[in-house]
């Protein structure tokens, strides 16, 4: 089988498998307990409200658009999609594995898998910021770049929550610092990552996901420190997004780059 055709088919199969596993986790549910019920066992201060997890529907719709677009015969030999290789399929496999581990409560393995998924999405994001991809026509931005920006934004939040939940499960409560202080630190780290993505990469979609998640944290939590920090961070990210859209935050030129930054 031609290599590019094989890549297309594997990506389609991986997407279908991911959706089936995630759908089963909700509909059956796998393991006899819902994802939200399991999450509620770990009351950490950086977990957003349950409604926020509805973003998965948006992510899967965006990934469906990508999956269909990459599978079209006209795009079979597209150099930009070839550069992604099997990474999108790998992200789907890791997503499904994480769901299975979580639903069947093999919690100790969820963090390594989540970190692998995060790393895979970071590589995809970097490759989509290469000059050959950055100069792509509009459709490429909407059905290839956008889905993975949103996906990476959410998995960044999910990784923070997953690590926090597993530390809580291990019995760690933040000593010598309080849980409130740790919540402030963790949310600040997320803010710094998002600021870098907006200022350096001009990734508005990534920033929008963080606003959605941080607003959900403010809604879910009752600890004043977590609520106000989450709201403050969300406001800062909104301001940065406005600055990028309005052109008041010019992209940072990467070291060694002689051309304009991708937008």
């Amino acid at each position: 089988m031609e290599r590019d055709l094989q890549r297309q088919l594997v990506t389609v199969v991986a997407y279908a498998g991911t959706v089936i596993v995630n759908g089963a986790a909700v509909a059956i549910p796998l393991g006899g307990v819902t994802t939200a019920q399991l999450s509620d066992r770990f009351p950490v201060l950086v977990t957003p409200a349950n409604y926020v997890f509805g973003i998965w529907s948006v992510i899967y719709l965006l990934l469906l658009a990508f999956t269909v677009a990459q599978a079209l015969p006209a795009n079979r030999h597209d150099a930009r999609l070839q550069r992604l290789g099997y990474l999108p399929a790998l992200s789907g496999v890791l997503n499904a594995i994480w769901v299975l581990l979580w639903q069947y409560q093999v919690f100790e393995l969820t963090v390594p898998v989540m970190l692998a998924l995060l790393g895979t999405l970071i590589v995809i994001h970097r490759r989509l910021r290469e000059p050959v991809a950055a100069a792509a026509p509009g459709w490429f931005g909407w059905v290839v770049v956008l889905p993975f920006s949103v996906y990476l934004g959410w998995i960044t939040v999910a990784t923070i929550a997953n690590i926090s939940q597993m530390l809580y499960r291990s019995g760690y409560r933040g000593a010598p610092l309080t849980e409130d202080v740790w919540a402030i630190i963790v949310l600040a780290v997320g803010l710094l990552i998002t600021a870098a993505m907006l200022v350096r990469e001009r990734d508005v979609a990534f920033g929008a996901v963080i606003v959605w998640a941080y607003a959900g944290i403010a809604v879910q939590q009752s600890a004043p420190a977590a609520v106000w920090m989450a709201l403050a961070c969300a406001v800062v990210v909104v301001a940065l997004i406005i600055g990028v859209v309005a052109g008041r935050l010019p992209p940072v030129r990467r070291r060694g780059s002689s051309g304009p930054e991708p937008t």
Side-chain angles (χ1 to χ4, degrees), residues 242-253:
I242 293 172
V244 170
V245 173
R248 296 185 179 274
L249 286 177
V252 176
R253 187 181 301 278

Side-chain angles (χ1 to χ4, degrees), residues 133-173:
W139 71 267
F140 191 86
W142 284 108
V143 302
V144 180
V145 177
L146 177 62
F148 288 104
S149 287
V150 174
Y151 200 179
L152 176 58
W154 179 248
I155 292 301
T156 299
V157 174
T159 301
I160 292 172
N162 194 189
I163 293 174
S164 300
Q165 289 168 334
M166 292 307 100
L167 287 173
Y168 183 93
R169 179 175 181 269
S170 72
Y172 181 66
R173 298 295 183 267

Side-chain angles (χ1 to χ4, degrees), residues 8-102:
Q8 288 177 307
L9 293 176
V10 169
T11 302
V12 170
V13 171
Y15 173 78
T18 304
V19 172
I20 290 171
V21 170
N22 279 270
V26 174
I28 295 177
L30 295 177
V33 62
T34 67
T35 304
Q37 288 171 335
L38 288 172
S39 182
D40 289 342
R41 294 183 183 179
F42 312 109
V44 298
L45 298 181
V46 292
T47 301
N50 287 335
Y51 76 85
V52 174
F53 293 88
I55 194 174
W56 276 117
S57 298
V58 176
I59 291 171
Y60 288 135
L61 285 174
L62 290 171
L63 290 176
L64 174 61
F66 162 77
T67 303
V68 171
Q70 68 84 35
L72 295 176
N75 295 329
R76 183 165 301 159
H77 305 299
D78 190 301
R80 300 157 302 184
L81 295 175
Q82 288 174 332
R83 284 284 293 142
L84 295 183
Y86 291 94
L87 289 173
L90 177 60
S91 71
V93 172
L94 290 170
N95 182 318
I97 291 173
W98 188 93
V99 170
L100 291 172
L101 291 172
W102 182 264

